[in-house]
Amino acid sequence: MPGLDPHLREWDDEDPDPDDESLPPYWFPGEAMPGDARRMGLTHHTVEGALLDFGGRLDSTKPVHRWTAWFLLVVFGLPVVFAVMRLFYYL
């Protein structure tokens, strides 16, 4: 054995194997949930967790996903804008 093969690399035990049969597929609910949300106890069964899971699955390289993100921003942002406008109107 004259030396190590340059094509071999150390295997990282922390990196999960995508072909591992014991892991759930990435399209299962809750797989795109941020780690902080999981530590707080949110799952895809709660309203907040479902929104985080949905938002985590959006891919900015796809135009439809980008439009969806902007639409969600408008839907969740407009009530805040209207509330601030109402405050200034009644002052």
Side-chain angles (χ1 to χ4, degrees):
M1 203 159 137
L4 293 176
D5 187 10
H7 299 292
L8 290 179
R9 61 182 173 94
E10 278 189 43
W11 183 257
D12 186 13
D13 289 334
E14 298 297 320
D15 187 24
D17 183 18
D19 297 327
D20 188 6
E21 294 292 327
S22 66
L23 293 176
Y26 69 90
W27 61 82
F28 273 17
E31 294 300 314
M33 184 82 62
D36 293 335
R38 287 187 184 150
R39 283 192 291 277
M40 288 176 23
L42 293 176
T43 66
H44 64 279
H45 297 291
T46 63
V47 174
E48 295 86 1
L51 284 172
L52 284 173
D53 186 40
F54 177 75
R57 291 176 187 272
L58 293 177
D59 184 9
S60 64
T61 61
K62 299 178 180 177
V64 174
H65 288 207
R66 209 172 314 129
W67 298 335
T68 303
W70 278 105
F71 177 74
L72 287 174
L73 185 63
V74 168
V75 165
F76 289 109
L78 271 180
V80 175
V81 171
F82 290 151
V84 170
M85 287 173 51
R86 194 174 323 134
L87 281 175
F88 284 117
Y89 179 73
Y90 289 117
L91 284 180

